[in-house]
Amino acid sequence: MIILGIETSCDDTAVAVLNEKGKILSNVLSSQDEFHRDFGGIVPEIASRKHAELIGYVIKEALNLSSKTLKNIDIVSVTYGPGLVGSLLVGVEAAKAISFSLNVPLIGVNHLEGHIYSLFLESSPLCQINNPFPLLILIVSGGHTELVLMKKHLSYQLIGKTRDDAVGEALDKFARALGYSYPGGPAIEKLGRKGDPHFYHFPRLNFKGSPYEFSYSGLKTAGIYYLNQHKNEIENHINDIAASFEEASTDILVQRTLRAAKDFNVKAIGVVGGVSANKRLREKFAKKSSMDVYFPGPNLSTDNAAMIAMAGAMRYKAGQTSDLCLDAVSRLKLA
Amino acid sequence: MNGLCINNAFSPTMIVFSSEEKLFFSVAENPPSKQPNNILYVVENMMELFSFSPKDIDFISVVKGPGSFTGTRIGVVEGKMLAFLLNIPLVALNSLELIASCFEKEVVPVIPVGRNAYFVSRFNFGKRIEQDLCINLEELLQIEATIITPVSSLKNVLKEKRVIVHIPTFNEFAKKSFEKFTEGSIVDDPLSLTPTYLRSVNLIFKGKK
Ligand SMILES: [Zn+2]
């Protein structure tokens, strides 16, 4: 069984080819970063124009690299939300055209479900474990900061999320205030590696009675306020400031996740989404967690289509397919 | 030879499946607010109803704009993907040319697009005599020649002008598609087709700021 996955929920046009074991045969991603950089963030109309321009070629390239042809495709899986509706629609329409023309099942996948299933690709150690449930998932990216409990495959219970900004968003905005262009997360990480994380103590807000909730708007504001108040320090201590901000951001994530893992008595923890690539976050989990913490393999933390194909394969096995009415849903919920 | 013709650039959405002699089925949709992206669902069901399969499609014709950004994009992505996947020729129609092709005289086809913006062009007996432009109302009011538009509300805006409201019929849509196909106006590489937007993102972005 060959699965073609398509992901166009934000600014990357991504297509992957997977086999039934979850082995990645190809995983192609065309980044639009350069087109959005001038605007300091993603411009939805640019994103959908680029997707419409690239989608066919990225599909062709993914097939070529996997040494498969259109005839080999057995299932087509596509992200239908959450995300930018104009971007999602391009992937959804392309997938529907494949389903119609090749007469293969179409499966609509939630983007966050895709991130979760990046942990179950063949290369990942989590799929070597017979029954990892209950499994606690921390989803961290530019758009999401959520804790999700999985008692079995394809079943999700939301137990906590951010009240305002996502962690990736806070990192992006802070990087921008430091003079680094979009996307800012990797810039903070790079600077922070050479800095002292205890140089300055940024606030780590806790909510009484809501131990699994996050807030990053306060941290972001505190960060930008600090920069405005300490303009002279920025030049000499930019690495220390970045490290301190990263330290606060990741502390909050680890603290909430380990608390939830204990309270819900889970067997393991999975951390997914763009920010899960952050080295400091990975080190901190390794140091502080008494149970196994799993992360996506190299290059599978950020948006990609292999994870969408994997989630689609799981849904197909569970008998859940979509019809050609499938619509893009920008605020699609996981649970 | 059977052509599947799709218009999603301006309202109504039109789907026509036709040979040169006979129109097999046609559907027009004018959804109130929702994104009209159930075209392939309709195509699949109509083909099944009339005992056709995707193999019976010999070429695709799609309206590539100018028109609604999202609508055009959906139509173009569907059109080019179908042509690529089924390995058949792709014909791309300009929306203003399609509207003008219904009239045997000099006409100015107009598609209104949101706040004070109009896509216009000029054709004489279906032959293009001016490039497509995006203009404002003031400029539109200065145009001499019969204005043709698929949008009836434009009549109220241009009270003094000679305005004919006309939506291409299914037959006119199919005829224009076959004409392009027969004369060999085929997109070299279907995957390269992009919508004709006329308005750059930089302009839209600055306007919003
Ligand atoms: Zn993502």
Side-chain angles (χ1 to χ4, degrees):
Chain A
M1 193 172 77
I2 296 296
I3 308 123
L4 184 90
I6 301 177
E7 151 64 39
T8 62
S9 67
C10 195
D11 62 335
D12 291 326
T13 317
V15 179
V17 180
L18 221 65
N19 74 8
E20 67 282 350
K21 288 181 190 140
K23 184 177 184 212
I24 298 172
L25 305 180
S26 68
N27 193 13
V28 179
L29 188 136
S30 176
S31 164
Q32 302 181 2
D33 282 355
E34 59 177 303
F35 304 107
H36 298 278
R37 199 163 287 146
D38 292 348
F39 297 100
I42 293 160
V43 182
E45 180 60 23
I46 295 184
S48 35
R49 285 185 184 194
K50 279 286 152 198
H51 284 307
E53 196 179 310
L54 296 169
I55 186 70
Y57 292 115
V58 179
I59 291 172
K60 208 170 158 182
E61 173 82 353
L63 284 169
N64 283 345
L65 290 176
S66 69
S67 306
K68 298 288 171 192
T69 66
L70 290 171
K71 284 195 190 85
N72 298 123
I73 300 174
D74 296 300
I75 307 173
V76 58
S77 172
V78 64
T79 308
Y80 73 106
L84 300 168
V85 74
S87 292
L88 289 163
L89 276 169
V90 173
V92 167
E93 292 312 311
K96 289 202 278 196
I98 292 173
S99 172
F100 168 76
S101 305
L102 308 179
N103 193 24
V104 296
L106 169 73
I107 293 138
V109 166
N110 182 308
H111 178 78
L112 300 179
E113 180 170 57
H115 274 302
I116 293 171
Y117 277 90
S118 65
L119 294 172
F120 289 93
L121 286 157
E122 198 206 28
S123 49
S124 158
L126 189 57
C127 60
Q128 317 301 335
I129 296 165
N130 217 347
N131 177 16
F133 305 110
L135 174 67
L136 181 70
I137 303 279
L138 172 68
I139 305 172
V140 274
S141 69
H144 298 273
T145 307
E146 291 176 19
L147 276 169
V148 174
L149 183 65
M150 282 178 82
K151 288 184 180 152
K152 57 178 182 175
H153 275 298
L154 305 174
S155 149
Y156 315 100
Q157 185 190 339
L158 180 69
I159 60 171
K161 60 174 183 144
T162 179
R163 292 186 169 186
D164 37 64
D165 293 357
V167 57
E169 200 177 340
L171 289 166
D172 270 345
K173 299 244 168 84
F174 190 70
R176 212 172 147 187
L178 275 175
Y180 287 80
S181 65
Y182 168 87
I188 296 278
E189 185 173 357
K190 206 172 161 195
L191 293 168
R193 222 171 283 159
K194 291 169 275 173
D196 171 14
H198 304 293
F199 175 75
Y200 182 80
H201 187 86
F202 287 105
R204 285 107 163 125
L205 279 184
N206 277 309
F207 300 112
K208 244 190 177 158
S210 313
Y212 321 124
E213 292 215 346
F214 306 87
S215 164
Y216 277 96
S217 159
L219 176 62
K220 176 191 74 187
T221 312
I224 292 169
Y225 181 79
Y226 175 88
L227 294 181
N228 286 334
Q229 296 298 307
H230 300 82
K231 285 202 174 97
N232 314 330
E233 277 184 23
I234 299 178
E235 209 184 305
N236 290 329
H237 290 286
I238 189 162
N239 295 334
D240 300 327
I241 297 168
S244 301
F245 191 82
E246 188 183 33
E247 190 71 1
S249 312
T250 49
D251 269 354
I252 298 167
L253 296 175
V254 174
Q255 185 267 335
R256 303 285 199 281
T257 307
L258 294 184
R259 168 81 193 262
K262 191 171 150 244
D263 292 355
F264 288 89
N265 203 11
V266 299
K267 264 196 214 165
I269 296 169
V271 184
V272 301
V275 180
S276 72
N278 183 289
K279 284 211 178 68
R280 188 80 191 112
L281 182 67
R282 290 189 178 209
E283 285 164 13
K284 222 175 263 185
F285 267 116
K287 208 172 126 194
K288 295 195 171 168
S289 172
S290 53
M291 66 183 76
D292 289 338
V293 184
Y294 296 91
F295 294 91
N299 303 320
L300 295 169
S301 285
T302 43
D303 291 353
N304 64 82
M307 65 186 200
I308 301 302
M310 188 66 225
M314 289 302 293
R315 290 223 165 258
Y316 179 72
K317 278 181 203 156
Q320 300 171 12
T321 59
S322 313
D323 63 26
L324 294 183
C325 268
L326 184 70
D327 202 359
V329 183
S330 82
R331 290 178 183 277
L332 185 67
K333 292 262 185 303
L334 182 63
Chain B
M1 278 289 155
N2 303 329
L4 176 66
C5 315
I6 296 170
N7 167 46
N8 204 32
F10 58 89
S11 254
T13 295
M14 286 191 277
I15 302 160
V16 181
F17 188 55
S18 170
S19 72
E20 242 172 325
E21 301 80 34
K22 189 170 182 268
L23 200 152
F24 300 117
F25 66 78
S26 55
V27 180
E29 286 199 316
N30 210 351
S33 64
K34 217 175 158 295
Q35 295 297 352
N37 71 327
N38 62 346
I39 294 170
L40 291 175
Y41 179 78
V42 172
V43 170
E44 184 185 51
N45 282 283
M46 292 302 276
M47 292 206 106
E48 212 177 288
L49 196 65
F50 288 87
S51 305
F52 288 111
S53 85
K55 286 185 194 74
D56 297 311
I57 309 172
D58 296 305
F59 76 94
I60 303 284
S61 165
V62 70
V63 180
K64 64 171 178 179
S68 129
F69 285 169
T70 304
T72 307
R73 198 150 43 225
I74 290 172
V76 165
V77 168
E78 287 173 346
K80 70 173 174 180
M81 287 305 297
L82 291 179
F84 166 70
L85 294 158
L86 298 168
N87 197 17
I88 53 176
L90 176 66
V91 168
L93 297 185
N94 176 291
S95 39
L96 297 169
E97 184 185 4
L98 171 62
I99 293 164
S101 73
C102 310
F103 293 84
E104 301 206 320
K105 58 176 169 177
E106 185 174 329
V107 292
V108 169
V110 178
I111 297 175
V113 272
R115 277 164 290 163
N116 198 20
Y118 302 85
F119 292 145
V120 301
S121 195
R122 192 184 290 262
F123 290 82
N124 195 12
F125 287 81
K127 287 265 171 300
R128 175 183 290 281
I129 47 176
E130 264 173 32
Q131 289 309 302
D132 296 350
L133 286 173
C134 182
I135 62 172
N136 61 30
L137 181 60
E138 210 176 310
E139 292 163 313
L140 182 63
L141 285 167
Q142 276 155 32
I143 285 176
E144 299 298 330
T146 306
I147 286 172
I148 312 290
T149 180
V151 180
S152 58
S153 59
L154 192 63
K155 240 186 146 109
N156 307 329
V157 180
L158 301 176
K159 283 184 197 90
E160 315 284 297
K161 294 273 164 193
R162 174 152 170 69
V163 180
I164 299 175
V165 176
H166 179 78
I167 295 164
T169 65
F170 295 129
N171 277 319
E172 285 167 341
F173 186 20
K175 193 179 148 221
K176 188 73 196 164
S177 300
F178 270 92
E179 194 184 298
K180 285 262 172 188
F181 176 66
T182 320
E183 74 185 29
S185 294
I186 285 156
V187 183
D188 278 341
D189 170 9
L191 293 184
S192 72
L193 184 68
T194 50
T196 302
Y197 292 112
L198 286 193
R199 287 195 295 175
S200 87
V201 177
N202 285 12
L203 271 173
I204 303 162
F205 195 72
K206 273 176 196 143
K208 277 186 184 163
K209 246 186 164 175

